[in-house]
Amino acid sequence: MKTYGIIGAGLAGCEAAWQLAQAGHDVVLYEMKPHRFSLAHHSEDLAELVCSNSFRSAEPETGIGLLKLEMSELGSLVMDVAKGTEVPAGKALAVDRERFAREMTRRVLEHPRITLVRREIQSLDELDGQGHDALIVAAGPLASDALSADLARIVGRDSLAFYDAIAPIVLTESVDTDTAFWASRYAPEDKDYLNCPMTEEQYLAFVRALIDGEKVAPREFEKEMHFEGCLPIEVMAERGEMTLAFGPLKPVGLTDPRTGRQPFAVVQLRAENLEKTAMNMVGFQTKLKYGEQKRIFAMIPGLEHAEFLRLGSIHRNTYVLAPEALTPTLELKNRPRTYLAGQISGVEGYLESAATGLWLGLHLAGNTDLPPQETALGALLSHLRTPAKHFQPSNVHFGLMPALNRKAPKKKRKELYAQRAREVWKAWLEKD
């Protein structure tokens, strides 16, 4: 039996702690809340979801859908709790974020081998001599300035930073349902999304307003770099008049019951909780100033008098250059027996972060080695050890996997990638 110290009780930290504890090891989990909150955190609960409440597609022929299957088969705490707190979201897996965090907190607190210490760790040296056989840093993209600076000192160069943007949440009863309608894409009978239809004229006026709206400027010492998979809505608008219409506002598969036709564009709202009393504006992460958000979003049909339970905001996201700073097993090259997990290690996304914590916990417990790159988890971990001139965090996707090396129609390729991934994963599980 060993004792592990883990800094950060987010998705990756809780997942790593759970796997180590389940394997019979003792874990001391350090969490700075409630003594100190980041700009994006508000709850004292562990594993707080600060951006969307969606874990994205559950389709097995997507990279993230495959990752869900693989995590579940490895005994993921996050996946187990997510399934127990799920809210309707069409073909995606979304959760009631408050229930999710409460249940994650309860599970962790009740585990006899996990000790939660509410304390901010500003330097890794603080934990030297505390009896930890190894240390896991899972402080997340919002690691404190002090801890980020200490990590930068250790890896030998500055950490990189880019901005993550958070989408607003709307009170459902404040949405005008004489205009907005319930439906999922290609399934008008489903009530998973509340859809706000736009005419071409309304859409173009909205795009112009987004471009002209006043934004929150980055501080002088922070470089503004956006992750391509989570661009602010106004940044997408600046890339072209029709970018949003082919992106988060695409109307494909939706029919406005008032007209019987597909709208020119659609703003979708996704349920935040089972009661559907709160709705998340899908794809509407933003760095617009609060007053501008209220003014511009009121231009959306159905949201003219919307009440915002939370407005959008931006926050710094810190991560290391994984191929340079980490070994293939996520150990810091310059500090043996110290590992990174979660977004700070160079992945992007809720489940990708949790997956690194899951795998690292299992690996340190001696239960698994690196999975093949043909699998979703293996591809994600491979990204962290692949040299790149301009390394950037990544979600899991088929592009991280080895090529199929066979000709196939475009529509068939995802199916073939998924089929190969499942076959290789099964063989690896049975061998491991």
Side-chain angles (χ1 to χ4, degrees):
M1 181 187 74
K2 295 182 178 180
T3 299
Y4 292 89
I6 300 178
I7 302 173
L11 296 176
C14 287
E15 188 73 81
W18 184 264
Q19 299 304 327
L20 287 165
Q22 288 290 88
H25 300 288
D26 289 331
V27 177
V28 181
L29 184 58
Y30 298 93
E31 170 56 53
M32 70 179 186
K33 298 190 303 182
H35 304 298
R36 181 174 178 182
F37 287 88
S38 74
L39 294 176
H41 290 89
H42 305 286
S43 169
E44 293 187 13
D45 286 333
L46 313 183
E48 180 183 0
L49 304 179
V50 299
C51 296
S52 167
N53 68 321
S54 173
F55 287 158
R56 312 199 318 275
S57 175
E59 292 288 289
E61 292 180 359
T62 62
I64 191 64
L66 283 172
L67 188 64
K68 288 180 175 70
L69 291 173
E70 293 174 6
M71 290 175 67
S72 294
E73 290 166 1
L74 288 177
S76 167
L77 170 66
V78 168
M79 284 303 302
D80 189 41
V81 174
K83 290 174 182 177
T85 56
E86 185 175 0
V87 297
K91 294 181 179 180
L93 171 61
V95 300
D96 181 319
R97 75 172 74 217
E98 292 184 1
R99 289 180 58 230
F100 174 84
R102 283 200 303 268
E103 179 61 13
M104 286 288 292
T105 303
R106 184 190 69 80
R107 297 270 195 106
V108 169
L109 289 178
E110 291 183 358
H111 200 293
R113 290 197 175 276
I114 300 176
T115 300
L116 179 66
V117 176
R118 299 276 189 173
R119 167 190 165 190
E120 180 185 359
I121 304 300
Q122 297 186 334
S123 168
L124 301 189
D125 292 345
E126 291 179 32
L127 299 182
D128 288 345
Q130 298 297 310
H132 302 313
D133 290 280
L135 186 64
I136 298 174
V137 180
L142 292 165
S144 69
D145 290 343
L147 185 58
S148 296
D150 190 53
L151 188 59
R153 173 186 62 82
I154 292 169
V155 299
R157 61 175 297 168
D158 291 340
S159 298
L160 299 182
F162 63 90
Y163 282 95
D164 262 359
I166 298 173
I169 296 174
V170 176
L171 181 68
T172 307
E173 64 182 30
S174 70
V175 180
D176 180 6
T177 50
D178 287 336
T179 300
F181 60 94
W182 293 95
S184 293
R185 295 190 192 278
Y186 305 107
E189 69 281 1
D190 288 349
K191 310 296 182 184
D192 293 351
Y193 291 85
L194 190 51
N195 303 278
C196 301
M198 283 181 159
T199 64
E200 182 176 4
E201 182 181 4
Q202 290 168 331
Y203 169 80
L204 293 176
F206 179 66
V207 169
R208 286 193 294 271
L210 286 174
I211 294 172
D212 295 338
E214 192 174 1
K215 287 86 175 175
V216 176
R219 290 176 287 181
E220 290 183 4
F221 60 88
E222 293 180 332
K223 186 177 181 181
E224 186 168 11
M225 298 170 61
H226 297 292
F227 170 60
E228 286 293 321
C230 193
L231 289 173
I233 191 81
E234 61 277 0
V235 172
M236 285 188 276
E238 291 168 356
R239 293 188 170 185
E241 195 173 64
M242 295 302 294
T243 300
L244 292 175
F246 288 97
L249 272 64
K250 64 183 178 185
V252 177
L254 295 168
T255 301
D256 187 342
R258 297 176 308 163
T259 65
R261 298 190 300 272
Q262 178 178 286
F264 185 83
V266 171
V267 174
Q268 288 199 300
L269 309 180
R270 180 182 56 238
E272 273 283 309
N273 51 31
L274 281 173
E275 296 77 18
K276 295 184 179 179
T277 58
M279 307 294 289
N280 187 291
M281 296 180 68
V282 178
F284 266 67
Q285 49 273 6
T286 182
K287 58 175 181 172
L288 287 167
K289 289 188 173 181
Y290 284 171
E292 291 288 77
Q293 290 182 49
K294 292 179 179 179
R295 178 182 68 84
I296 296 171
F297 295 161
M299 298 172 64
I300 299 171
L303 300 187
E304 295 88 349
H305 305 289
E307 180 180 338
F308 290 91
L309 300 175
R310 182 190 75 184
L311 287 164
S313 62
I314 60 173
H315 62 80
R316 179 172 56 84
N317 187 337
T318 301
Y319 62 96
V320 300
L321 298 180
E324 297 179 16
L326 304 178
T327 71
T329 58
L330 308 185
E331 186 176 16
L332 283 171
K333 293 179 180 178
N334 293 346
R335 200 177 197 275
R337 298 191 301 113
T338 298
Y339 300 80
L340 299 193
Q343 286 187 231
I344 203 166
S345 71
V347 298
E348 175 65 25
Y350 286 148
L351 288 186
E352 287 88 343
S353 298
T356 61
L358 166 65
W359 177 81
L360 185 56
L362 290 171
H363 175 69
L364 291 177
N367 293 337
T368 188
D369 208 339
L370 285 166
Q373 192 180 350
E374 290 83 358
T375 67
L377 180 57
L380 186 67
L381 294 172
S382 175
H383 171 68
L384 300 183
R385 60 181 186 269
T386 302
K389 186 175 181 180
H390 300 291
F391 177 81
Q392 191 180 54
S394 178
N395 292 121
V396 63
H397 55 80
F398 291 133
L400 299 180
M401 297 179 180
L404 290 172
N405 292 325
R406 57 180 291 189
K407 290 185 177 181
K410 186 176 180 180
K411 291 183 179 180
K412 184 76 171 176
R413 293 183 69 80
K414 288 185 178 180
E415 179 183 334
L416 293 174
Y417 271 110
Q419 180 181 338
R420 182 185 68 177
R422 293 303 292 159
E423 291 173 354
V424 173
W425 176 261
K426 182 179 178 181
W428 176 74
L429 272 186
E430 292 175 350
K431 174 184 69 69
D432 212 59

